[in-house]
Amino acid sequence: MTATAIAPGTDVRELFRAAYENRYTWEPGFAGYRGVCEWQQDERCVRGRFQVGADLRGSVEGIDDAEVDKALQQQLWEVCIHRVRRPFEQTHADNTFTACAQEDTGLEIAVGGRNAGDRYRIANDVVTMVHRHIHGTVVTIHTEEITETGSGYLSRRYSSRYSDPASGEPKGPVQHFVDTFVPLGEGGPWVLQERQISTDDGDGAVSFRFLDLEPLA
């Protein structure tokens, strides 16, 4: 929660900037890493190898199942896209940030300008809710737990839901994520070791593991 009440309509650009800049991202010059990757659902486990290069692109090899290969590639893409460091003004120069109501999970913020219609919640320099319009759909993410790295935070436990931007009707079930991050060396860089994904519809949970991790020179 914010320490003091903030009146609705207040410009909270700097508050949002602080939360944005508190996210953990990889340092410039990050060389990448590699290791073993695993996909598991119920008793089935598929194993291969992966690499994330200095260009922050992931690749997978040694997996014959096309669907599993695609799923692992998607998880690596998600990891990389959220570790890219972009200056606040580069991303949000054309947006405004206005305080709305104080909710249990943080101060709700309405976005105006280029990304009008998007909303966020922040508490203690952490983005606790994201509600964004992306490629003709709306994604809403609620962060429940974080991992503190000493150089910013990573979302540890969170949920994600896609919905229709016009009707608000959900597109598929709510997904629940639990992420485990580890440092590759003393103080980092921090990388994903395991991601568990389950859904509200009771479909089988899936685990993605990235093991035997080693940095690239």
Side-chain angles (χ1 to χ4, degrees):
M1 294 281 183
T2 51
T4 58
I6 296 176
T10 301
D11 181 343
V12 289
R13 184 179 190 82
E14 293 310 309
L15 281 177
F16 183 76
R17 182 200 296 268
Y20 176 92
E21 294 179 345
N22 190 35
R23 300 169 308 123
Y24 177 79
T25 54
W26 287 327
E27 295 281 350
F30 175 70
Y33 64 108
R34 64 190 172 195
V36 172
C37 54
E38 288 184 351
W39 173 97
Q40 183 169 356
Q41 186 171 37
D42 298 323
E43 299 303 313
R44 186 178 178 222
C45 183
V46 181
R47 173 178 276 222
R49 294 198 61 84
F50 80 95
Q51 179 169 303
V52 171
D55 59 358
L56 304 189
R57 295 179 183 274
S59 61
V60 175
E61 60 182 26
I63 294 179
D64 296 329
D65 187 311
E67 289 298 316
V68 172
D69 182 87
K70 181 180 178 181
L72 281 160
Q73 296 270 12
Q74 176 67 24
Q75 296 311 312
L76 288 175
W77 181 84
E78 292 277 356
V79 168
C80 292
I81 200 70
H82 288 103
R83 299 291 84 78
V84 175
R85 182 171 299 181
R86 293 188 178 90
F88 178 79
E89 290 300 334
Q90 177 183 329
T91 304
H92 291 294
D94 298 326
N95 291 329
T96 61
F97 300 90
T98 304
C100 298
Q102 180 72 51
E103 306 291 344
D104 289 343
T105 55
L107 175 69
E108 184 142 338
I109 296 172
V111 179
R114 180 179 181 182
N115 298 120
D118 290 357
R119 290 182 285 117
Y120 296 94
R121 289 179 192 163
I122 60 171
N124 298 323
D125 291 341
V126 170
V127 179
T128 59
M129 189 274 284
V130 174
H131 181 86
R132 291 189 60 202
H133 295 70
I134 303 175
H135 304 308
T137 192
V138 171
V139 60
T140 305
I141 300 169
H142 292 275
T143 295
E144 302 157 26
E145 294 180 20
I146 62 171
T147 295
E148 289 283 7
T149 70
S151 301
Y153 75 90
L154 290 157
S155 296
R156 181 182 185 278
R157 187 183 298 272
Y158 53 100
S159 64
S160 174
R161 175 174 61 86
Y162 290 89
S163 57
D164 183 270
S167 67
E169 289 296 313
K171 294 182 174 182
V174 176
Q175 291 186 301
H176 300 274
F177 298 79
V178 179
D179 288 357
T180 301
F181 292 91
V182 295
L184 279 179
E186 186 71 27
W190 288 71
V191 298
L192 183 69
Q193 182 182 64
E194 182 173 5
R195 171 168 290 165
Q196 300 174 1
I197 307 176
S198 58
T199 58
D200 277 353
D201 62 3
D203 202 3
V206 179
S207 292
F208 299 89
R209 299 185 188 91
F210 302 93
L211 311 168
D212 298 337
L213 303 169
E214 58 180 12
L216 297 177

